[in-house]
Amino acid sequence: VPLTAFVGATVIDGHGGQPIEHATVLVEDGRFLAVGSAASTPVPSDAEVIDLVGRYLLPGLMDANVHLLPWPSWGYIEFLARYEDRFDAVITEAAQLALASGFTTVFDTMGPLDSLLTVRDRINEGQVTGSRMFVAGNIVGFRAVFTTPEAIASASLAFQQRVNARFEAGGGPDLCLLHPRELAAQMSHYVSQGVDFVKYGATGDGEPVNSQIGQAAVLRFSPDQQRAIVEAVHAAGKTVQTHTTSAESLHLAVCVGNDLGQHASMTGRSRMYDETLERMVATGYSCGTQWAPLTQEQTERVAAGDFSGPQESGLDNIENAVRLIRAGVPQLLSTDAGTVDPDVAKDDEAGRSSMLGEAEFATMRAMVDRGMTPMQVVQAATANIARAYRVDDELGSIAPGKRADLVALDRDPLANVENMRTVSLVVKDGLVIDRSALPSSPLLTSAAATSPGRIRTS
Amino acid sequence: VPLTAFVGATVIDGHGGQPIEHATVLVEDGRFLAVGSAASTPVPSDAEVIDLVGRYLLPGLMDANVHLLPWPSWGYIEFLARYEDRFDAVITEAAQLALASGFTTVFDTMGPLDSLLTVRDRINEGQVTGSRMFVAGNIVGFRAVFTTPEAIASASLAFQQRVNARFEAGGGPDLCLLHPRELAAQMSHYVSQGVDFVKYGATGDGEPVNSQIGQAAVLRFSPDQQRAIVEAVHAAGKTVQTHTTSAESLHLAVCVGNDLGQHASMTGRSRMYDETLERMVATGYSCGTQWAPLTQEQTERVAAGDFSGPQESGLDNIENAVRLIRAGVPQLLSTDAGTVDPDVAKDDEAGRSSMLGEAEFATMRAMVDRGMTPMQVVQAATANIARAYRVDDELGSIAPGKRADLVALDRDPLANVENMRTVSLVVKDGLVIDRSALPSSPLLTSAAATSPGRIRTS
Amino acid sequence: VPLTAFVGATVIDGHGGQPIEHATVLVEDGRFLAVGSAASTPVPSDAEVIDLVGRYLLPGLMDANVHLLPWPSWGYIEFLARYEDRFDAVITEAAQLALASGFTTVFDTMGPLDSLLTVRDRINEGQVTGSRMFVAGNIVGFRAVFTTPEAIASASLAFQQRVNARFEAGGGPDLCLLHPRELAAQMSHYVSQGVDFVKYGATGDGEPVNSQIGQAAVLRFSPDQQRAIVEAVHAAGKTVQTHTTSAESLHLAVCVGNDLGQHASMTGRSRMYDETLERMVATGYSCGTQWAPLTQEQTERVAAGDFSGPQESGLDNIENAVRLIRAGVPQLLSTDAGTVDPDVAKDDEAGRSSMLGEAEFATMRAMVDRGMTPMQVVQAATANIARAYRVDDELGSIAPGKRADLVALDRDPLANVENMRTVSLVVKDGLVIDRSALPSSPLLTSAAATSPGRIRTS
Amino acid sequence: VPLTAFVGATVIDGHGGQPIEHATVLVEDGRFLAVGSAASTPVPSDAEVIDLVGRYLLPGLMDANVHLLPWPSWGYIEFLARYEDRFDAVITEAAQLALASGFTTVFDTMGPLDSLLTVRDRINEGQVTGSRMFVAGNIVGFRAVFTTPEAIASASLAFQQRVNARFEAGGGPDLCLLHPRELAAQMSHYVSQGVDFVKYGATGDGEPVNSQIGQAAVLRFSPDQQRAIVEAVHAAGKTVQTHTTSAESLHLAVCVGNDLGQHASMTGRSRMYDETLERMVATGYSCGTQWAPLTQEQTERVAAGDFSGPQESGLDNIENAVRLIRAGVPQLLSTDAGTVDPDVAKDDEAGRSSMLGEAEFATMRAMVDRGMTPMQVVQAATANIARAYRVDDELGSIAPGKRADLVALDRDPLANVENMRTVSLVVKDGLVIDRSALPSSPLLTSAAATSPGRIRTS
């Protein structure tokens, strides 16, 4: 059994503890054996020594919300048709990009379940190198693809049914019509397919319907139905989370016992309730954080407590975000990141800006802009996620017994959050990753080489 | 003070009591003074005697759900534009048609509040003859008109805003976005405008959105929000009812304390829950009934308890209807009836079949087809409605002290429900109505004279 | 028979002749009796003398292309429904606004024929005061209203058919399907309804169809069909003109023998052919001119012959306009002006800017911006139009024997074309118009009083 | 050089000549050496003898209008995306199906030019077995794909531009905007890319635009533009044909000098002009024939000259067809046939019914139903096509010197046109085709094996 010693770096443990300078981290059999100052942590003579003097060593980074089959491309029939037989390969490529970028663990919150399970298992079994995946399958209650009249009119029925079935995996919109009792039974079945956690759509999909209140403010599942989902998933030993898009739906989601919620700051035309914040704190609710960097002017306005100006569009409500931070609600780096089809990338700014390995660092910047410290950012990308997903016995910090996932940075992230980008070494399960070899079979990202959003993997 | 004696008819009292043959009904000052057999009820010598020998005397009929400004015509911009300055006149004409058809009291559950209040008050003050009106204004939470992208694209913004404001009267879709506390305050304000009762939209408007579950199965108001509405309206001393379109929303509506619900049998692709029926019975919930007559084959299948075949489309789920009847849930004649713009009538079968004075009698036939007795039908059109709307101290039956609203039929309605159509005398507040003079200023119905749905007023 | 002498003004005759200062214009029985210098033109002693010293006297102005039922409002179902029974009144109001603004003669090139004929005849018979109208009815081959899928979906079929029939008057899209021989017969019938001239749609309606070439570049009538129209209309003694929207269709329109063409500068993505200009000159073809004023920068670029920048959108191609002017093709003031529904005006900048009495003066400014002299502008608004429509024996200039239509301006129009706006006296058929009394029954324009496009009638 | 003798069959020569029983056909070096009765045509001793006693020997069949990249599948983005990199393979498969079905020569009138040229050349050079292809590329002036708003909204711009460019090959809708002189130049360039003939779109694409006359009745190219195309193509030594969809456009197409026209019977709501028929006869114009078999009732009505009933939809106007036949206008088998994507086939009846090897035989039946003799049908599928395309010196009949393309039938086609389906031997350029080996790499047709339209290749 090989033993490795990472020596000389400043260790930042993921839990917000005091950094340890000139630290020694011992790894054996894929797990941490010891962490401490050089003085207190002798390096065994048979250890392979990796010299990290001058660098900063963090737990392997995590993203609490990715779509390894890239969601901006799902909207394009051409993408679905071109890659229908190669979803596995697209997902593998994305998992490799994530790993090469320092993200040793990712949580995929929506995608075709069959291919996600296949790739997850291949990676876990060591057949393929890639980020460690936890997968949810569908956002329960949603139709993922072919959601517009235009798309429905532009593809054959057979193709739509085949692709919809792969995305929904038995957890599609029909579940919204079920009695809570029947819904619970259906959720038990859904979980039994092998998902690692469950996400359901408490509200519609955010698209306005005519000039009325829109899907964003209607409940797809009643509170009774939501409780049935939560209980069934918890009974199966999994965590459960929600997609919400209004103040009322967010409040309900917290009340019915969810473990965490994605993009909680997104409450549309309503303001997040004060009692929602209180309840989050009381119940230990965590929030996936999907924010964009601010302009200088916005940053100054935030510092002055002035939220009178226009909020950012879409997922991001600046005032809500600041309130969440100030209330101490644990934030999770949660980006919706993936790859992007090169054709789609030319069309779609959103597609480009959600590239894995770029979106995460932009979000870290956005966190600081809203008032988080760099140390809180590190926690949001490591220990907070592990705790929210209840995998903190294994992941999320540098501590003896846990899986030895590490990233080394060239520059101090606590001095400037932009230094999080200076990843120069990635270790997963104790093994140093050859980042230059990833992705092993480029499919989307090589073609995208000239696109602005192209990830730089070294 | 004049005193009138209606003598010789068979009296059917509205409550399901044993009919009184050769009865005498005494009316004084607009109210019933006495009701009984000729033997037990002497006719004072100064009474005006109206001879009804051979006829059948019932309480004035009621419709628990009309739209005096006709809803099928709202969908047409041309109707709104042509009559924008004449909504009062259109509503008056409809109230007169209702009265001429024997419906002495109607409950308008959606329409432009300003005009509805104006006409209601004119009738109540005796300035105009017409059916007694109770009005709700908007279905709270709904946008009534300009609901399709096509309509929105085809009218000026100024016109849309002006008409929307008249229909919504402060109770439009924005209310769905409010915190329950704010919603309660807004509802108190809404009620203070002079409405007689409140109806809110628990679910969407029944229109499918793409191929997904559609508006019909999403909640526009959470249970907490619904409770806030119900409590605010009850606190103002008014009844409150809902529009629901799914099994789950129907169940919630019963649980949150509504007094009655419209078209409860409409649960879309789900089956009404057994516990919903139980709770309706336990809480005295009444159901507005909007059914279509059955074919002979359907009637036989219903009698045999066979609900395997296709259900009727739209509002009507035959099995649910039969279950409601068998469980003893009080049914209310509730038709959505109104008049119809003649141009629209040529386009729109629904428009024609919802004509006041036709729709009600078709619905009565439909009630018998599903298993109600003719006596239950009479109750559904009189005492049940008065009780559900909490106006049974004044209306809904032939009993001393109540308002003297009567209809006389030429043939026995208990022998054949179709005989309900044989109305030959209408009395409101003790006064015999000159039906041949109604409507007094025909606007829509004269032009529609050649349309199949044309009401026959004598 | 009264005789009137307009004395002291500078007369500009409409044909480009040298202005006569201190002129005397004698009018008898509604026609000019004499025009000349005070010295050469003695005023009879029994004449009523109108002193115009210091002012400028021009022939009554003309607009070669108006829509008295305002076209921007046709697109709105609400307008059609609200005024369906009052088209005559809307047209009358517009004819009065035109007259009050100095336009004693207008040519209506599209609108509901029945109402246009009715109002034209009432004015000609002296029952109503208004601008002298010449009317075409439909643009032959076009559907005028209910042209979008949205509008078609938002109105009843009966209403659409009724309104379409009034606009098309037998000259609708079906004519495009006819054999030239049958088309000629149909045109003879169309003309026999009493139109003063004919306009047909050589190309589509300018709306793009998908991403392809669009309606603007397809021919609705083949050259053989166009020749059949032209010959049939000429045989009936009327002039014929076209709507064209491409270089090829414009060239064909000139070749088949049209008398004039509207918005000839509108050739879409193609450049007007040189041989088209040559042929216009050779055949005496006149062009309706619908241009917008230029910015200072554009004016300078035009002066420098630089047409490399962006052209104005829609009807106006600056280079084509300049080429037409330089080639000496007679230009006609031709504005599409009308009134505007006040609701529509709030929506629609185009509606506001096409107000009668405003659009014309803006177009005059635009003519000068492109290189026309003020004198040429006067001709474009008077004699050129009369000649193109072949009514120059009666109208278009101040000459003995012609109808005595006059406008007096306070300031010299030849010094600055903006002085055309200083109309302070309008004479039609020898009678001074009481402009303060127009419109006599304001319908659209009073309601529009606060709208930016509101015409100022004094 | 091998010499082959086909002996014993009844030869039907393609020109309508008297069949030769017990004939001998000698083939040398890929061409016919001699044809005649056994008595008059001795078989050289070194010839390979193929015994066809009891069979019927015809020239290789031809289809004057196919789409080897199947057009019903173009409408589906999924098809374009899935096969974008394999258009060559799809076209090859179709060319092999055509050959296996007896169609030794096909004329592709619309498809992606690059792939069509590639496959044509590979077949001609003997690298691949397949039907002899003549290709046109685009229907000049048309946009082939992404023609609906829905499709345009559902694919990335980059993908659309790439695919559109391959289909249009410089002959797209922009050409409609050109001056005839510039259009001629552009056509010379277009032809120089290697096309075998040219087809242009005289009218729109047959799709209705709103409720107006629709694309079907508007001209995309003026007569002058059409003449410019015809002259430029003729100058390059190629034939030129049109797509027309109205009576007027058909007449023009004949007048401007086209060699042939597709689906001439399709004149929409107008009746084909008598003078069009006369001119076709006078100028030797040939018509592509795309008809559907008739019902028994329709057949009887046609025989009785009764065309009062409903015409068939789409391409087929029965009365026009009968008039063309009776006037003696040469008819060409012209089917739009291709393969079909299996997903699309489930959606699309049209897709299934246009399968190569099925569509042709159905059309032959349709020809007889309208009054053609089986002998005329044989000519329509052989000599008429060769003559219209001006390749009759090489193809279309069994005559010495021509290319030795043959099909042998098991049963007499002159006795019953359905016997055309009994193809049991196919010879191209003198070589017997191994039909069981085609298609060599099934792509669409194997997957479609269970679809009703599946071709049976043996």
Side-chain angles (χ1 to χ4, degrees), chain C residues 143 147 149 173-174 176-177 179-180 210-213 215 217-220 222-225 248 269-270 273 275, chain D residues 143 147 149 173-174 176-177 179-180 210-213 215 217-220 222-225 248 269-270 273 275:
Chain C
R143 169 136 298 163
T147 56
D174 284 353
C176 303
L177 304 175
H179 186 286
N210 304 337
S211 65
Q212 302 183 46
I213 54 167
Q215 290 287 309
V218 295
L219 292 175
R220 297 173 76 87
S222 73
D224 284 348
Q225 288 173 312
E248 181 74 7
R269 290 161 52 198
S270 304
Y273 306 159
E275 58 258 55
Chain D
R143 170 132 300 160
T147 55
D174 284 353
C176 304
L177 304 175
H179 186 287
N210 304 338
S211 64
Q212 300 182 48
I213 54 167
Q215 291 288 308
V218 295
L219 293 175
R220 298 173 75 87
S222 73
D224 284 349
Q225 288 173 313
E248 182 73 7
R269 288 161 52 197
S270 303
Y273 305 158
E275 58 258 54

Side-chain angles (χ1 to χ4, degrees), chain A residues 142-143 146-149 152 173-174 176-181 205 209-213 215 217-225 248 252 269-270 273 275, chain B residues 142-143 146-149 152 173-174 176-181 205 209-213 215 217-225 248 252 269-270 273 275:
Chain A
F142 271 24
R143 169 134 301 163
F146 300 108
T147 56
T148 66
I152 291 166
D174 284 353
C176 303
L177 304 175
L178 298 182
H179 187 285
R181 190 172 49 240
D205 54 14
V209 175
N210 302 340
S211 64
Q212 302 182 46
I213 55 170
Q215 291 287 308
V218 295
L219 293 175
R220 297 174 76 86
F221 290 109
S222 74
D224 285 349
Q225 289 174 312
E248 182 74 6
L252 286 173
R269 288 163 52 198
S270 304
Y273 305 159
E275 57 258 56
Chain B
F142 272 23
R143 170 134 299 164
F146 300 109
T147 56
T148 66
I152 292 166
D174 283 353
C176 303
L177 304 174
L178 298 182
H179 187 287
R181 190 172 50 240
D205 54 13
V209 175
N210 302 340
S211 64
Q212 301 183 47
I213 55 169
Q215 289 288 308
V218 295
L219 293 175
R220 296 174 77 86
F221 290 109
S222 75
D224 284 350
Q225 288 174 312
E248 182 73 6
L252 286 173
R269 288 162 50 197
S270 303
Y273 305 160
E275 56 259 54

Side-chain angles (χ1 to χ4, degrees), chain A residues 33 53-54 63 90 95 156 204 206 220 256 275 297 308-309 327 332 359 386 446:
Chain A
L33 187 65
V53 169
D63 189 328
V90 172
S156 74
R220 297 174 76 86
V256 298
E275 57 258 56
E297 186 205 339
S308 57
L332 316 179
S446 63

Side-chain angles (χ1 to χ4, degrees), chain A residues 98-113:
Chain A
L99 182 59
S101 305
F103 293 84
T104 52
T105 302
V106 292
F107 295 82
D108 190 295
T109 70
M110 191 175 197
L113 185 56

Side-chain angles (χ1 to χ4, degrees), chain C residues 211-253:
Chain C
S211 65
Q212 302 183 46
I213 54 167
Q215 290 287 309
V218 295
L219 292 175
R220 297 173 76 87
F221 290 109
S222 73
D224 284 348
Q225 288 173 312
Q226 294 189 40
R227 269 185 285 268
I229 295 172
V230 169
E231 286 168 19
V233 177
H234 280 169
K238 311 289 180 184
T239 65
V240 58
Q241 59 185 267
T242 53
H243 167 97
T244 63
T245 48
S246 67
E248 181 74 7
S249 65
L250 174 63
H251 189 69
L252 286 173

Side-chain angles (χ1 to χ4, degrees), chain B residues 324-341:
Chain B
L324 286 165
I325 293 168
R326 293 186 183 167
V329 176
Q331 300 302 308
L332 316 179
L333 181 75
S334 187
T335 62
D336 274 344
T339 53
V340 65
D341 178 275

Side-chain angles (χ1 to χ4, degrees), chain B residues 79-97:
Chain B
F79 173 82
L80 297 171
R82 198 178 283 128
Y83 294 107
E84 184 186 4
D85 296 336
R86 293 179 283 175
F87 282 172
D88 294 6
V90 172
I91 290 167
T92 300
E93 179 176 11
Q96 294 182 334
L97 284 172

Side-chain angles (χ1 to χ4, degrees), chain C residues 36 206 303 354 356:
Chain C
S354 66
L356 277 160

